Amino acid sequence: MADSFVLSNGQIIPGIGFGTSRVSQLTISQADMRDVIFDALESGYRHFDTAHAYRTESALGEALQDAIIYNKVSRSELYITTKLPTYHMRKDHVVSSLRESLKNLRIDYIDLYLVHVPASIKVESEYIPYPSCSSDDYDYPDIIDTWREMEKLVDAGLARAIGLSNFNASQVERIDNNARIKPVVNQIECHAYLQQNKLVDVCKRRNISVTAYAPLGSPGLQIRNNGRYWDLFEEPVILKIAKCHQRTPAQICLRHLLQRGLILIPKTENTDRMRLNLEIKNFSLTKQEMEKLSKLDSNKRIFSFNGMKDHPEYPFKDPY
């Protein structure tokens, strides 16, 4: 499996990135987050995923600027993704929102800019997934109009590529059918409990790569299901395969997705796990092991954006 993927616009994206959304859910200072980014750079990460709504752009920008100044890395080696927040989707907000993110990140252009969620709200929310939103907070810009403004960002050189996040199959098709500049990525929740095969297939048929967020099932969130915690790392089939390959359960979960051709953005603040998450390229799962892992799929969604469930663009009403 290649270390990198070639997107439909010819851009090369590292296959394993570093996610930074956790800081919006845990108590961690900007200085501590900056140190986490430094650790990730030292571990070998060059692809970083953030978003305006995560409140991590500034910490990421500070860390990367320092790394560049001290010749730890060059800008051309880095691949940075951020996202248009759902509260900036009106077409007169798109350009200014990216400019704000670029200022936070201390860079002149973004490698990949995603529409974070297809449903829009009027006011800035404290965090994803907006659990406290109500219909009074909803906004209704046409997402095709939003996409037209996204295309202008590429024309202006502010974004090298544009894409989607949390879009369902019909929404992906609607954007793709109306796009002058095609989306290169759809970033979706994807892990062994939520494998999203139909949505992945739709994206791949349209030459849209898929990035998996929460690829380990977000064990730190302590999600309960039928009275017990969801924990991929305790699944007997994963433990058995991990023992066979002398790998960790996390490495098996990540390798399963990478072998399906997905880009991954795991997140951790532990330096040992940072390194281990990268060390999944020099072994392969057998066809039989892949089939066993596929049977864990049970449509268990962690990030359901429940506050948006009555919005007409809520992405999870459709089967996929």
Side-chain angles (χ1 to χ4, degrees), residues 6-161:
V6 180
L7 302 179
S8 60
N9 66 345
Q11 193 181 48
I12 297 173
I13 183 171
I16 305 174
F18 188 80
T20 66
S21 66
R22 175 169 289 184
V23 72
S24 64
Q25 295 157 351
L26 299 182
T27 302
I28 180 172
S29 70
Q30 176 149 322
D32 287 342
M33 187 62 197
R34 183 191 61 212
D35 291 342
V36 168
I37 300 301
F38 275 129
D39 289 340
L41 280 165
E42 289 293 325
S43 298
Y45 290 88
R46 294 297 181 264
H47 171 192
F48 292 87
D49 181 271
T50 184
H52 188 281
Y54 298 163
R55 309 292 195 273
T56 56
E57 289 178 334
S58 294
L60 178 59
E62 184 178 346
L64 296 181
Q65 183 184 62
D66 286 350
I68 291 170
I69 289 172
Y70 291 107
N71 295 315
K72 300 283 187 182
V73 67
S74 66
R75 174 65 182 95
S76 62
E77 294 177 85
L78 296 170
Y79 194 97
I80 313 300
T81 300
T82 194
K83 305 176 188 76
L84 175 73
T86 189
Y87 40 82
H88 287 169
M89 288 177 64
R90 287 201 169 271
K91 57 184 184 179
D92 56 337
H93 293 161
V94 174
V95 173
S96 60
S97 187
L98 177 54
R99 288 192 183 278
E100 181 181 346
S101 289
L102 293 175
K103 182 179 179 181
N104 292 338
L105 289 162
R106 307 184 186 195
I107 54 179
D108 298 324
Y109 67 89
I110 198 72
D111 295 282
L112 178 60
Y113 198 46
L114 307 178
V115 181
H116 203 160
V117 185
S120 181
I121 60 174
K122 298 173 186 174
V123 295
E124 187 166 341
S125 177
E126 286 298 319
Y127 52 89
I128 295 287
Y130 315 113
S132 60
C133 289
S134 70
S135 58
D136 291 337
D137 301 313
Y138 295 167
D139 199 12
Y140 304 97
D142 187 328
I143 59 173
I144 300 301
D145 289 341
T146 302
W147 189 255
R148 297 276 185 256
E149 296 303 308
M150 295 283 287
E151 292 172 327
K152 292 177 183 177
L153 300 175
V154 179
D155 295 336
L158 297 174
R160 297 286 174 89

Side-chain angles (χ1 to χ4, degrees), residues 220-240:
L221 293 183
Q222 299 270 297
I223 306 298
R224 280 189 178 275
N225 184 52
N226 294 328
R228 71 180 184 90
Y229 290 120
W230 295 1
D231 193 346
L232 285 169
F233 301 164
E234 293 185 1
E235 286 289 346
V237 64
I238 291 176
L239 291 170
K240 184 175 180 180

